[in-house]
Amino acid sequence: VIGKLPAGLEAPALRDLQDRCRGTDGLVAASAALDRQGRARDALAFAYRAAAKEPQSATAWNALAIAARAAGRTGLARRAAAQAQKLSPLGQQLPAAPGRRPGASFGGP
């Protein structure tokens, strides 16, 4: 739905999602959708909220790593990726950001 709503309705819908979302799935999905639209700062805000809301969620930290990288916040991206890896079940490698190979460093392209 993000990006498909009329301009005047999207901002209230995103605020409503932030305010009413119980878990982090919706926040992570919104972050990914905003990132795909090239809206890195907005994606980062949603991912940051997800990681803050569920600090034990590897998925939320991975979303934060991806959004931070897209926003040019490489230090934050590295820290978030390390936290995601730490929390990931069995230490498995999390998916890479679109256009990046799995396991690639968040410090470079």
Side-chain angles (χ1 to χ4, degrees):
V1 176
I2 295 173
K4 296 183 183 194
L5 289 173
L9 297 178
E10 184 175 83
L14 289 171
R15 277 193 303 276
D16 190 51
L17 175 64
Q18 284 184 323
D19 294 341
R20 295 181 185 215
C21 188
R22 287 189 190 156
T24 58
D25 290 346
L27 297 172
V28 168
S31 177
L34 291 163
D35 184 57
R36 282 191 300 274
Q37 293 176 9
R39 296 169 59 185
R41 287 182 57 197
D42 293 331
L44 183 58
F46 275 85
Y48 187 80
R49 186 139 197 187
K53 191 171 194 174
E54 286 188 12
Q56 296 303 314
S57 169
T59 302
W61 284 99
N62 191 53
L64 182 57
I66 292 168
R69 174 72 169 91
R73 304 272 313 272
T74 56
L76 176 59
R78 280 189 213 105
R79 291 188 301 276
Q83 185 66 12
Q85 189 67 34
K86 178 180 169 186
L87 294 171
S88 181
L90 304 175
Q92 66 191 26
Q93 182 68 39
L94 294 169
R100 297 184 55 78
R101 67 185 191 286
S105 166
F106 277 89

